[in-house]
């Protein structure tokens, strides 16, 4: 499990380490600078004849950059430094680093034009505490760094986080450095993985610089991400003495006339993540397609002109989890199905696609939504559910997701390039997946995966977050072999088995 810290949490770790545990700030700075210098040498490979220039602010992030220059100089790397900040306002740690460099007679650049001499530029202007837009001389400095990179003159290494990126949201604060790689300290930051911050960060290296475990624990970080090692830990265990009933029964209420694919994708994905039985509740028109494409499914069909609610009730009673909504349409009969399911479902429930749209269009249904139901909206559906413009949501996706989940007592899976999952308290940011997965049916697959894990007794928050992770890993495996163009939802299902295996 990966911890993702925001600026407040990271500041708490830093302060606790220094003030409570007594670790000198200079020690942490030295370790951060050394780790950065080593990474720079690895990236440059052959440092002979190469020049590094650190562009520094007056805060401790600038001090880190100055210490990097000093360490690289002792390693024999041609290095120099440029002060973007006011030396009169330098912190005591940064002032000390300036004094050392002056004593060592390490060259100081006096003009931004000198950056064109660099083979690598170290961005150490602002650290994780930046909250205001980058303006004036700082903006001109950022633009100069980006110009050098754009013309292919210099690679860029960001120290802790690219200057101009919000540590909490990943948003660009006015303008921001575009780094080829970022060396960050202690733990990953949310702004490094959320877009557009992720695009500005390049490859991210997380370096241990000596923050003790108790410093991280007291910060009470509430945002996490799964990593590949978690597959074995969280995947539901199989037992030698078992049968199909041992692994749960998923009911998929989905599909409509000419929309058979939605229920197929969801049902097949539920099977592929290990559940024992899947029942598909869909319109009569989908009967032959589902039997042909997924003969393993139990099939219950209905006449959309007169839905037999007794059949629906029997199907709900049969299930250990329910997936409601993919391809269902928002026709009056579908509204009745959603209303009945919300009222009578006593098992974990996943609501997707048209299930969400129906709730958004019929506010009275909110009163029937069971606690801890999993909602899986994309940004458009979320806008309809919350009456919040998409642009406003994107300013802080974790906050949007967390508050929506808390206000409604549900698990929210806010689908985007970085999907956010929250129960209103804890938050997961999904780091798997790729742009090839932006294809029809991909969301239906995800709903089936989550439903499958719920049927196997996984708690709703974990099922939702882990389901997103497995879904993305399968998409990554499919892209690796097939490429992003033409990647289909059926490919994601196919590669799920390989990922889980």
């Amino acid at each position: 499990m990966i911890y993702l810290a925001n600026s407040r949490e990271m500041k708490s770790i830093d302060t606790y380490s220094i003030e409570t545990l007594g670790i000198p700030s200079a020690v942490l700075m030295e370790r951060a600078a050394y780790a950065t210098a080593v990474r720079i040498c690895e990236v440059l490979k052959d440092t002979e004849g190469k020049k590094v220039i650190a562009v520094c602010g007056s805060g401790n992030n600038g001090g880190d950059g100055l210490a990097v220059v000093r360490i690289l100089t002792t390693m024999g790397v041609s290095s120099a430094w440029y002060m973007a900040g006011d030396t009169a306002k330098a912190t005591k740690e940064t002032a000390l680093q300036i004094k050392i460099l002056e004593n060592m007679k390490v060259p100081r650049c006096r003009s931004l034009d000198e950056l064109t001499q660099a083979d690598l530029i170290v961005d150490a202007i602002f650290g994780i505490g930046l909250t205001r837009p980058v303006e004036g001389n700082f903006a001109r400095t950022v633009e100069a760094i980006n110009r050098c990179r754009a013309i292919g003159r210099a690679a860029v290494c960001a120290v802790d986080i690219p200057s101009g990126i919000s540590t909490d949201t990943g948003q660009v604060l006015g303008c921001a450095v575009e780094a080829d790689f970022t060396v960050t300290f202690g733990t990953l930051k949310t702004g490094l993985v959320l877009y557009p911050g992720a695009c500005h960060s390049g490859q991210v290296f997380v370096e241990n610089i000596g923050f003790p475990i108790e410093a991280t624990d007291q910060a009470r970080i509430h945002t996490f991400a799964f990593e590949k090692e978690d597959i074995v830990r969280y995947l539901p265990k199989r037992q030698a003495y078992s049968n199909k009933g041992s692994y749960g029964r998923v009911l998929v209420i989905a599909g409509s006339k000419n929309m058979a694919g939605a229920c197929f994708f969801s049902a097949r994905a539920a099977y592929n993540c290990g559940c024992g039985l899947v029942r598909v509740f869909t319109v009569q028109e989908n009967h032959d397609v589902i039997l042909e494409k997924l003969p393993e499914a139990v099939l219950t069909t209905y006449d959309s002109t007169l839905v037999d609610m007794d059949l629906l009730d029997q199907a709900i009673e049969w299930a250990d989890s329910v997936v409601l909504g993919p391809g269902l349409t928002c026709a009056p009969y579908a509204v009745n199905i959603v209303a009945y399911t919300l009222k009578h479902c006593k098992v974990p429930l996943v609501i997707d696609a048209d299930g969400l749209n129906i709730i958004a269009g019929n506010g009275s249904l909110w009163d029937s939504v069971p606690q801890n139901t999993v909602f899986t909206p994309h940004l458009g559906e979320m806008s309809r559910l919350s009456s919040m413009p998409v642009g406003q949501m994107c300013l802080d996706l974790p906050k949007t997701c967390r508050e929506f989940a808390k206000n409604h007592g549900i698990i929210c899976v806010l689908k985007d390039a970085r999907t956010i999952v929250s129960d209103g308290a804890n938050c997961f940011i999904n780091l798997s997946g790729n742009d090839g997965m932006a294809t029809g049916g991909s969301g239906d697959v995800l709903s089936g995966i989550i439903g499958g894990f719920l049927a196997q007794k996984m708690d709703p928050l974990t099922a939702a977050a882990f389901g997103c992770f497995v879904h993305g890993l399968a998409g990554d495996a499919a892209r690796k072999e097939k490429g992003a163009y033409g990647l289909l939802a059926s490919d994601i299902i196919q590669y799920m088995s390989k990922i889980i295996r």
Side-chain angles (χ1 to χ4, degrees):
M1 187 82 71
I2 299 170
Y3 283 62
L4 296 166
N6 59 29
S7 56
R8 179 191 58 79
E9 292 160 346
M10 201 61 229
K11 179 65 175 175
S12 176
I13 292 171
D14 196 56
T15 301
Y16 186 88
S17 299
I18 296 168
E19 296 182 1
T20 302
L21 299 180
I23 301 173
S25 176
V27 170
L28 296 173
M29 181 175 287
E30 190 71 8
R31 294 195 62 172
Y34 182 78
T36 304
V38 169
R39 287 294 182 186
I40 288 171
C41 290
E42 289 176 355
V43 170
L44 288 177
K45 296 178 182 177
D46 180 10
T47 59
E48 186 175 353
K50 302 289 179 64
K51 184 169 185 176
V52 175
I53 299 177
V55 181
C56 307
S58 56
N60 278 0
N61 188 252
D64 291 340
L66 294 168
V68 168
V69 169
R70 172 174 51 79
I71 292 169
L72 287 174
T73 299
T74 63
M75 291 178 171
V77 180
S78 175
S79 304
W81 52 289
Y82 175 85
M83 280 301 295
D86 184 353
T87 55
K89 297 179 180 179
T91 63
K92 65 177 182 178
E93 293 89 352
T94 300
L96 175 61
Q97 297 297 335
I98 292 173
K99 182 177 180 180
I100 295 172
L101 289 181
E102 289 175 340
N103 290 340
M104 292 175 61
K105 295 182 171 48
V106 177
R108 176 177 178 176
C109 300
R110 298 292 178 175
S111 167
L112 288 173
D113 294 336
E114 295 181 60
L115 296 184
T116 58
Q117 301 170 11
D119 297 285
L120 185 142
I121 297 172
V122 178
D123 161 35
I125 307 171
F126 300 115
I128 60 171
L130 183 69
T131 58
R132 64 185 186 280
V134 178
E135 300 173 335
N137 181 59
F138 290 116
R140 289 188 289 274
T141 303
V142 167
E143 290 163 2
I145 293 172
N146 289 341
R147 276 198 306 273
C148 289
R149 181 178 181 270
I151 63 175
R153 183 65 190 89
V156 176
C157 165
V159 177
D160 219 8
I161 193 166
S163 295
I165 294 296
S166 166
T167 304
D168 297 347
T169 68
Q171 293 298 305
V172 174
L173 301 174
C175 62
V177 168
E178 297 171 2
D180 293 282
F181 64 103
T182 299
V183 183
T184 197
F185 312 121
T187 187
L188 202 55
K189 316 301 187 294
T190 54
L192 293 172
V193 301
L194 294 171
Y195 291 99
C199 292
H200 284 255
S201 303
Q203 185 175 5
V204 178
F205 300 99
V206 182
E207 299 291 350
N208 178 6
I209 63 169
F211 292 120
I213 293 174
E214 56 263 43
T216 302
D217 289 344
Q218 64 80 37
R220 298 181 181 178
I221 294 173
H222 292 293
T223 304
F224 313 94
F226 283 110
E227 53 188 333
K228 287 186 178 180
E229 290 77 6
D230 292 321
I231 289 284
V232 174
R233 178 182 175 189
Y234 285 91
L235 199 65
K237 300 297 184 287
R238 311 289 289 188
Q239 303 295 329
Y241 187 69
S242 60
N243 56 61
K244 60 182 179 287
S246 304
Y247 303 110
R249 296 173 293 194
V250 178
L251 171 63
V252 176
I253 304 172
S256 56
K257 185 177 180 181
N258 299 323
M259 288 288 286
C263 45
F264 163 71
F265 289 135
S266 187
R268 179 61 187 272
Y271 265 132
N272 273 34
C273 67
C275 77
L277 283 171
V278 178
R279 180 186 295 271
V280 176
F281 187 83
T282 191
V283 294
Q284 292 174 348
E285 289 88 343
N286 292 338
H287 180 277
D288 293 346
V289 174
I290 299 302
L291 279 185
E292 179 183 350
K293 297 287 289 182
L294 193 63
E296 299 90 346
V298 180
L299 183 60
T300 301
T301 60
Y302 61 87
D303 181 353
S304 61
T305 63
L306 185 63
V307 181
D308 187 340
M309 290 301 179
D310 287 339
L311 287 177
L312 178 57
D313 192 65
Q314 293 167 22
I316 293 172
E317 285 292 321
W318 170 89
D320 294 308
S321 71
V322 176
V323 176
L324 173 65
L328 193 62
T329 81
C330 295
Y333 77 86
V335 175
N336 292 336
I337 288 174
V338 169
Y340 190 92
T341 303
L342 292 177
K343 185 175 181 180
H344 294 88
C345 185
K346 306 301 181 186
V347 297
L349 175 63
V350 182
I351 306 181
D352 183 39
D354 287 324
L356 300 173
N357 291 327
I358 286 172
I359 293 173
N362 298 268
S364 61
L365 293 178
W366 272 113
D367 294 335
S368 300
V369 175
Q371 288 285 303
N372 293 321
T373 293
V374 179
F375 277 46
T376 60
H378 56 58
L379 296 183
E381 292 161 346
M382 185 65 164
S383 181
R384 290 189 282 276
L385 285 164
S386 65
S387 299
M388 182 184 295
V390 170
Q392 183 180 342
M393 288 190 292
C394 288
L395 293 176
D396 194 338
L397 287 177
K399 180 180 178 181
T400 298
C401 184
R402 186 182 290 110
E403 291 186 350
F404 184 79
K406 182 178 180 180
N407 291 340
H408 295 287
I410 55 103
I411 311 297
C412 182
V413 179
L414 183 53
K415 297 184 293 191
D416 196 30
R418 284 280 190 255
T419 293
I420 316 294
V421 182
S422 181
D423 62 354
N426 294 309
C427 194
F428 285 81
I429 300 177
N430 186 51
L431 303 184
S432 64
N434 61 82
D435 51 16
M437 299 173 69
T439 185
S442 179
D444 305 325
V445 173
L446 176 60
S447 67
I449 295 173
I450 297 173
F453 285 142
L454 286 172
Q456 296 173 78
K457 310 305 180 186
M458 195 177 281
D459 73 86
L461 177 62
T462 304
F466 187 66
C468 290
F469 184 59
V470 170
H471 179 251
L473 286 181
D476 289 339
R479 176 177 176 146
K480 185 175 181 180
E481 291 193 19
K482 300 182 64 110
Y485 295 89
L487 195 155
L488 302 175
S490 53
D491 297 323
I492 300 171
I493 294 174
Q494 176 188 346
Y495 282 86
M496 275 179 61
S497 299
K498 297 182 179 181
I499 291 298
I500 291 175
R501 184 179 64 199

